[in-house]
Amino acid sequence: MQILKALLVIVMGFAVEAAFAKDICSRQFIVGTNNYQPMYFRNSGGQAGGVDEELISAIMARRECGYNSRGMARPVAVESLKRNQLDLILLVAENNIYSDAGADYIPLFRSVRELVVRKSKYKKGQTVADVFANKKVIFGNLIGSRAVMTESEYQLLIKEKRLIQVPDAAGVFALIQKGRTDAVIATPLLNNYLVKDLKIENDVVTVADRNFTTSLGIYVSRKRVGPQERQRLEEIVHKMKKDGTIEKILSKYLTIDQLSSVSYE
């Protein structure tokens, strides 16, 4: 009997220890996402989808936390960070505008950039640099975004008045459709969807630039998310890179060739 009592005490002790050791998440993360397809959307039933939603859903499933995702324009996301209204922002390129607004960066992957240029303004064999140097090529760009454009490229376009900037990604590609611009440089995730969605695939050619990569990831609010919680998120992201979860999500949106150029930091 004494042996049974002793065993019972040991078992109960382990149970209590395990209960306290279990990392129970009781918070609801407020997550800012992009507000355009294929990154983020809500269907007629209100269900969220897209690259951003799949990534945050996978992360929170492992963290066992609730979350509320909200599509928003870049200026709104930055302002929301400053006002401490967001816990996380994804999927975005590493950019000082977010760190200056009070957030730290967790990288997910690196992507090459692709140039989408009107066929009439492109000669076979030309590089991305050749197209930037062509003074007859007008570029479109997202306001406040230079993630896939170098500072010298940006300043060249500004100096030569060859850049038209608009607030939304779809609008950038629509400029080509409307004949106002000739080119846009972006990530394959955007190019694949918007070129087809706007039905301009017969009018443009896509040129990959594997010499230039940009980091895409998550920004975590310093004030709303503590160091320990941030570390947990970093560990989860690290495991998702190693076990192929991020690659599996991206494979739904990229071609095999494009996926082969993605690296996981």
Side-chain angles (χ1 to χ4, degrees):
M1 180 63 71
Q2 293 299 323
I3 294 176
L4 288 174
K5 286 183 178 180
L7 287 173
L8 182 60
V9 169
I10 292 172
V11 170
M12 290 179 65
F14 278 127
V16 171
E17 184 178 341
F20 280 103
K22 182 173 175 57
D23 184 16
I24 299 173
C25 179
S26 59
R27 71 178 296 164
Q28 182 90 357
F29 281 87
I30 307 302
V31 183
T33 71
N34 292 291
N35 62 344
Y36 48 82
Q37 295 195 56
M39 310 311 294
Y40 185 83
F41 66 90
R42 286 189 180 272
N43 62 22
S44 57
Q47 183 176 2
V51 183
D52 293 2
E53 180 65 20
E54 289 198 51
L55 287 169
I56 193 59
S57 177
I59 291 168
M60 290 303 158
R62 296 188 183 211
R63 183 65 188 91
E64 297 185 325
C65 289
Y67 72 95
N68 184 348
S69 58
R70 304 172 180 178
M72 53 183 63
R74 183 186 304 270
V76 176
V78 173
E79 190 61 30
S80 296
L81 264 182
K82 291 179 179 178
R83 295 182 179 182
N84 300 318
Q85 296 171 338
L86 289 177
D87 296 304
L88 311 172
I89 292 182
L90 87 165
L91 177 71
V92 294
E94 189 171 10
N95 193 313
N96 287 339
I97 63 171
Y98 299 110
S99 56
D100 292 345
D104 292 321
Y105 186 66
I106 300 177
L108 291 176
F109 60 92
R110 294 194 71 88
S111 173
V112 300
R113 65 178 182 174
E114 286 183 344
L115 173 74
V116 175
V117 57
R118 196 180 300 281
K119 289 180 178 178
S120 61
K121 295 294 179 71
Y122 180 77
K123 293 181 180 179
K124 187 176 180 180
Q126 283 187 318
T127 65
V128 170
D130 293 330
V131 178
F132 267 105
N134 187 343
K135 294 185 178 182
K136 295 182 179 180
V137 176
I138 307 298
F139 279 76
N141 192 46
L142 189 66
I143 292 175
S145 175
R146 300 183 204 174
V148 290
M149 192 182 295
T150 67
E151 182 65 22
S152 60
E153 289 168 344
Y154 180 80
Q155 292 302 332
L156 174 67
L157 297 179
I158 292 293
K159 179 182 178 181
E160 297 180 350
K161 297 180 180 181
R162 293 194 289 125
L163 186 65
I164 298 177
Q165 303 188 80
V166 294
D168 63 295
V172 174
F173 285 79
L175 291 172
I176 296 179
Q177 182 189 50
K178 296 173 182 177
R180 294 186 59 198
T181 60
D182 307 297
V184 59
I185 192 155
T187 64
L189 283 170
L190 278 183
N191 293 343
N192 284 0
Y193 178 82
L194 290 171
V195 166
K196 292 178 181 178
D197 186 59
L198 294 173
K199 299 179 174 59
I200 59 174
E201 56 261 58
N202 293 327
D203 304 317
V204 299
V205 61
T206 300
V207 183
D209 183 2
R210 293 179 181 268
N211 295 319
F212 184 106
T213 62
T214 189
S215 178
L216 296 165
I218 306 169
Y219 271 95
V220 183
S221 170
R222 297 187 197 109
K223 289 188 176 181
R224 290 178 59 102
V225 181
Q228 289 184 335
E229 186 62 65
R230 177 201 157 98
Q231 184 178 354
R232 292 188 187 99
L233 294 174
E234 288 178 331
E235 290 170 354
I236 288 170
V237 167
H238 179 72
K239 290 177 181 178
M240 288 173 60
K241 294 175 184 178
K242 293 295 185 182
D243 66 20
T245 300
I246 297 177
E247 183 177 25
K248 183 177 180 181
I249 291 171
L250 295 180
S251 69
K252 302 176 185 180
Y253 302 90
L254 300 175
T255 66
I256 294 176
D257 182 58
Q258 290 170 333
L259 194 63
S260 70
S261 68
V262 175
S263 61
Y264 304 92
E265 303 174 287

